[in-house]
């Protein structure tokens, strides 16, 4: 039982990471899946080992102390595996955060560049005369949902923000034909 409680915190963290759209978009789900696999697999392996130990060992050797030692060995093994998994994952997370934080919209990250391009394409699509009055760009002709459009929608909903890169110049209204002003009346002549 102590083993399960000890692994519940990393498992809860892994489930939380898998539920965070920003984490999944930028880093992926490999690390949380590895943590869950270590936690669940280790628990199953410990349970099978305890059952085998109970069936194969004499009753005078089967003590609470022996089971506690076996559990301690499994806890140490699980901790070691979690450290081996978390060091590269932590490095990747910090690398991604520093690339995005330092370069912003002019980053060389493929996903960041594609995200900015998708944001600009959606903005241009929304500003088209046949789409400007629609409530969402999703209703516009030519809209295709992708990983990037879903993430942009999440950002707009969750953080109530847009456009993605405010330093990029964007037009506020579609190009429409504005009629020229009427000519002024001729001097000396009053309109009645």
């Amino acid at each position: 039982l102590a083993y399960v409680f000890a692994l519940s915190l990393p498992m809860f963290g892994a489930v939380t990471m898998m539920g965070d759209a920003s984490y999944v978009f930028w880093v992926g789900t490999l690390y949380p899946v590895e943590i869950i696999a270590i936690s669940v697999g280790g628990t199953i392996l410990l349970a099978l080992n305890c059952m085998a130990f109970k069936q194969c060992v004499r009753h005078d050797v089967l003590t609470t102390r022996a089971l506690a030692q076996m559990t301690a060995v499994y806890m140490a093994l699980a901790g070691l595996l979690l450290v081996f998994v978390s060091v590269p994952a932590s490095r990747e997370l910090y690398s991604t955060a520093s690339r995005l934080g330092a370069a912003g919209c002019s980053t060389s990250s493929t996903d960041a560049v594609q995200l900015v391009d998708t944001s600009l394409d959606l903005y241009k699509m929304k500003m088209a005369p046949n789409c400007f009055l629609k409530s969402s760009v999703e209703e516009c002709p030519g809209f295709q949902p992708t990983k990037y459009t879903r993430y942009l929608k999440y950002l707009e909903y969750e953080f109530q923000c847009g456009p993605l890169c405010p330093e990029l110049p964007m037009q506020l209204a579609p190009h429409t034909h504005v009629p020229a002003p009427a000519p002024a009346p001729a001097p000396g002549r009053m309109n009645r």
Side-chain angles (χ1 to χ4, degrees):
L1 194 58
Y3 179 81
V4 173
F5 284 132
L7 289 179
S8 65
L9 186 60
M11 260 186 82
F12 177 72
V15 169
T16 302
M17 286 186 275
M18 290 179 76
D20 184 357
S22 290
Y23 182 88
V24 171
F25 181 83
W26 294 109
V27 181
T29 59
L30 179 63
Y31 171 63
V33 168
E34 287 175 343
I35 290 177
I36 292 170
I38 289 169
S39 301
V40 171
T43 303
I44 292 171
L45 195 59
L46 176 63
L48 291 174
N49 200 354
C50 285
M51 288 189 300
F53 186 68
K54 188 175 181 180
Q55 289 181 357
C56 297
V57 175
R58 294 186 328 256
H59 286 302
D60 61 329
V61 177
L62 184 64
T63 63
T64 306
R65 182 176 179 194
L67 291 175
Q69 287 174 338
M70 186 186 332
T71 303
V73 168
Y74 272 89
M75 287 179 86
L77 179 62
L80 190 61
L81 288 174
L82 288 173
V83 167
F84 283 137
V85 166
S86 64
V87 168
S90 176
R91 188 176 322 126
E92 181 184 352
L93 183 62
Y94 283 115
S95 172
T96 300
S98 66
R99 271 195 331 266
L100 292 173
C105 290
S106 62
T107 185
S108 61
S109 168
T110 307
D111 280 330
V113 170
Q114 184 64 38
L115 194 63
V116 170
D117 289 347
T118 302
S119 175
L120 291 172
D121 290 344
L122 291 175
Y123 186 81
K124 289 175 188 171
M125 184 184 294
K126 180 69 174 141
M127 290 298 113
N130 63 344
C131 187
F132 183 68
L133 296 177
K134 298 192 185 278
S135 63
S136 171
V137 72
E138 293 173 322
E139 300 171 10
C140 298
F143 175 81
Q144 294 293 323
T146 64
K147 154 184 164 175
Y148 301 102
T149 58
R150 284 187 292 275
Y151 184 61
L152 287 167
K153 182 178 180 179
Y154 162 77
L155 289 176
E156 287 181 0
Y157 176 77
E158 183 69 21
F159 301 110
Q160 316 245 323
C161 65
L164 188 60
C165 294
E167 63 270 12
L168 296 175
M170 294 197 186
Q171 172 187 348
L172 296 177
H175 289 294
T176 54
H177 177 67
V178 178
R189 192 165 188 208
M190 295 180 63
N191 291 335
R192 291 181 201 223

